[in-house]
Amino acid sequence: MPKVLVLADHIASQIAAGEVVERPSSVVKELLENALDSGATQIEISISADCRDIRIADNGCGMEIEDAVLAFHRHATSKLKTVEDLWNLNSLGFRGEALPSIASVARVTCLTRTHDSAEGSKIEAADGKVTTSQTGCAPGTVMEVQDLFYNVPARLSFLKRASTEFGHIHEIVQSLAIAYPQVAINLIHQGQSSFRTTGSGDLSLAVKEAGLFSGREQLCEVKAGDRDLGLSIRGYVAKPLHFRGDRKGILSIVNNRPVRCPLTYKALDYAYSDLIPRGRHPFAVVVVDVNPTNLDVNIHPTKKEIKYSNGNEVYIAIQRALMLALRQAKSEAREAEVAREREEFHYQVSLARDLQSTAFSGDEQQAEDQAASLQTAQNEHANSVSAIMHEVSDARTVAESIGARATRQLGFKDRLQYATRLYTPVDGETSSPVDGRAYHGPGTDDESPESASEYGLASGAKLSPESGQLPTQYTYSLPHGWRIAAYIHNTYIILETPEGMEIVEQHIAHERTLYERLLAQQTVAGRTTECAQRLLVSTPLQLSMEQSNTLRNNIEILRKLGFDFECSEDHVTCTQVPLELAHKDYACVVQELAQQLAIADGADLELEATKSIACQSAIKNGMPMSERDLVQLLCEWDATPRNDTCPHGRPVRLKFSMEKLFQMFHPA
């Protein structure tokens, strides 16, 4: 039996380096974190020699020579003094393993000087030996690592190509540059700058400068907090039109530390589950600041993973913040519209002043004409602003009421409450719907059996609460400044907007509208009986073995959504369908639904079924719609808070600003 021996320090450091220093990016991470912990405001990282030579210079606090020498000893750190400090960490590093581990597999030179010292210190470490000398250098610290893995040939042989290794370095530096937007960071590869941040302190600017987003994404700001939990959540998420096939566009930062946070990933998946295609992931930067006593970062050798002591509460808070951010983007657009209206109002005020000066000049007839014109313009302006402000107020009321429910996880129904732009008409009003003004309905147009009215578009009238009867007429109004310019191939609606032009596909727009309506009708106990149609003649279903098993296993979910079935050993018969599907071929609908549920592995089956119902109930492309139905569809779709994509993630509309149209016709 061999005797037990205490390993020499340099051997123990090489063993520790096997966990701490996996590849060149690990060295960059440890040294960059030390630079950030030193309070630096400017950091430069230079990479060369196939990523085996690394130089990191900062203008931080620097070190005295005694501290610099101790830093190369194992478990020597300035960031911890007692065990209790582990539960109140405000620094990135704390173990005291990085420098000795790096020095055991590379040649390391450290130049450091404090701001009040006349001269600096030079420390050289290699092969377990540390030498010191005095030298002149700028305040701060410069760490030079050369010949990485020169004495570990096995580890050296496992390094990938230089471009691959630099890709990992770029990802590490990028995440820390975003986590510390107040620090100017410059990453140089082979003498050329890869990216540079300005240290402005602006998170959105740092995200663009570091290159995590392309800069073309439309972003929604995330901003929320919970005083009881000591929790603050901020960041930016891209609108559902922008996504990718992996999670590399997601950055989770907890207490200024970039980490892999499963709670953030799960909350993002939930918030975007009916906004982007399945298997795709959004662009997002989510920054969580939490009380350090509720966080454990000492569970992974490279500190990439964390654990919360109150994980469920943190998850609910993150999920709520993301959902509110995606919803409030619509109300912010409304506020921008109000701002445009105010500018128009100021213009009208200037007209009034001109009118006053004209009246004093003695031309009474001209003054009267201008007064009448001004009064008409001001009335139209007041009505428009009132309608827009009412919508903004409704959106804020919904957001505030949901935000107040801090003890319950948000369901899909909570974020989908919206009101259709339905107005009471003025007697004798005859304006056209295509220019954004009022339209009266139901009209006298004859509807063919295949018209859009069968798909719920001509049934927007609601019962009067006083009489319980349908009103004789109702009015839909397009948003201010919208005008239907064309209707192409009974599929695409061309809209002229104040910003330029939009193209809307009727099927996808109607699918999103029906989906929101279906979710709004759902309750905790299931759908009400008024939303289902009992069939006079039951419909036998021709299902495959897989489809039949899927339907039988999920029959309770389907009953909540308005379906009902009679099942025997060999046959399944449909006896009830949701009201939205009353005009469809029931057998084909259920067969398609069962097929989609069969492939929805790990998904929310009730949500997937609702998506299928909305898709199959929506008006199809190529089916003609009357002018009245077009206006109603656009109004109801525009009233939904998440109208950029359909429930499956397809874009509902394409936007072309005047600038973009000009560039298309006049390329540079």
Side-chain angles (χ1 to χ4, degrees), residues 637-649:
W637 162 71
D638 179 65
T640 62
R642 307 174 305 154
N643 56 13
D644 287 323
T645 61
C646 79
H648 297 95

Side-chain angles (χ1 to χ4, degrees), residues 263-445:
L263 296 184
T264 301
Y265 296 154
K266 184 179 179 182
L268 284 167
D269 290 343
Y270 185 90
Y272 281 86
S273 59
D274 57 351
L275 294 174
I276 61 178
R278 188 185 307 159
R280 298 295 185 265
H281 303 280
F283 290 88
V285 174
V286 181
V287 182
V288 179
D289 295 316
V290 64
N291 190 330
T293 59
N294 296 327
L295 190 67
D296 185 2
V297 299
N298 193 27
I299 62 173
H300 192 276
T302 59
K303 303 181 284 288
K304 292 180 180 178
E305 298 177 0
I306 58 172
K307 284 187 177 180
Y308 296 96
S309 62
N310 53 347
N312 188 54
E313 291 83 357
V314 172
Y315 165 71
I316 292 175
I318 296 175
Q319 178 218 85
R320 180 178 294 108
L322 295 173
M323 291 165 60
L324 290 178
L326 291 170
R327 186 191 307 110
Q328 287 174 349
K330 184 69 180 292
S331 63
E332 290 173 359
R334 292 292 184 205
E335 290 177 349
E337 193 172 347
V338 171
R340 289 196 300 269
E341 292 289 342
R342 286 174 178 166
E343 291 180 3
E344 183 179 343
F345 176 74
H346 292 315
Y347 172 71
Q348 299 296 340
V349 171
S350 66
L351 285 181
R353 290 173 179 169
D354 294 341
L355 172 62
Q356 187 178 18
S357 62
T358 303
F360 280 112
S361 67
D363 192 344
E364 296 182 0
Q365 182 60 41
Q366 182 180 358
E368 291 178 0
D369 294 342
Q370 290 189 8
S373 175
L374 176 61
Q375 185 63 39
T376 301
Q378 288 179 339
N379 289 340
E380 292 180 355
H381 167 267
N383 293 335
S384 178
V385 170
S386 176
I388 295 171
M389 290 301 294
H390 179 69
E391 290 185 5
V392 173
S393 176
D394 287 346
R396 285 177 172 170
T397 301
V398 172
E400 291 172 359
S401 64
I402 293 175
R405 287 173 275 180
T407 59
R408 183 174 65 84
Q409 177 174 331
L410 287 179
F412 283 95
K413 178 186 173 184
D414 295 320
R415 54 180 161 148
L416 299 172
Q417 299 175 7
Y418 64 94
T420 305
R421 295 170 63 99
L422 189 61
Y423 300 98
T424 303
V426 179
D427 293 339
E429 190 172 19
T430 58
S431 54
S432 168
V434 297
D435 60 358
R437 290 175 287 176
Y439 176 75
H440 295 293
T444 57
D445 301 341

Side-chain angles (χ1 to χ4, degrees), residues 543-578:
L543 303 175
S544 66
M545 182 65 69
E546 181 185 24
Q547 293 171 344
S548 178
N549 291 336
T550 300
L551 190 146
R552 294 171 189 269
N553 293 335
N554 299 285
I555 194 167
E556 292 303 322
I557 292 177
L558 296 177
R559 282 173 176 164
K560 285 184 179 181
L561 298 175
F563 289 96
D564 202 1
F565 304 94
E566 292 179 355
C567 301
S568 62
E569 292 184 1
D570 301 326
H571 299 88
V572 178
T573 303
C574 181
T575 60
Q576 180 176 289
V577 295

Side-chain angles (χ1 to χ4, degrees), residues 613-667:
I613 294 172
C615 183
Q616 297 189 68
S617 302
I619 186 171
K620 300 299 183 285
N621 290 332
M623 181 171 291
M625 298 177 65
S626 67
E627 190 174 276
R628 177 193 64 190
D629 291 334
L630 286 175
V631 173
Q632 181 177 349
L633 172 61
L634 290 171
C635 290
E636 293 184 346
W637 162 71
D638 179 65
T640 62
R642 307 174 305 154
N643 56 13
D644 287 323
T645 61
C646 79
H648 297 95
R650 296 168 296 182
V652 177
R653 59 180 166 190
L654 300 178
K655 290 185 177 182
F656 299 89
S657 65
M658 292 300 295
E659 180 182 1
K660 185 174 182 179
L661 289 171
F662 181 84
Q663 292 176 353
M664 292 171 65
F665 284 98
H666 303 83

Side-chain angles (χ1 to χ4, degrees), residues 81-92:
K81 293 182 180 179
T82 65
V83 175
E84 289 74 18
D85 291 340
L86 272 175
W87 304 104
N88 193 28
L89 285 173
N90 293 308
S91 60
L92 295 173

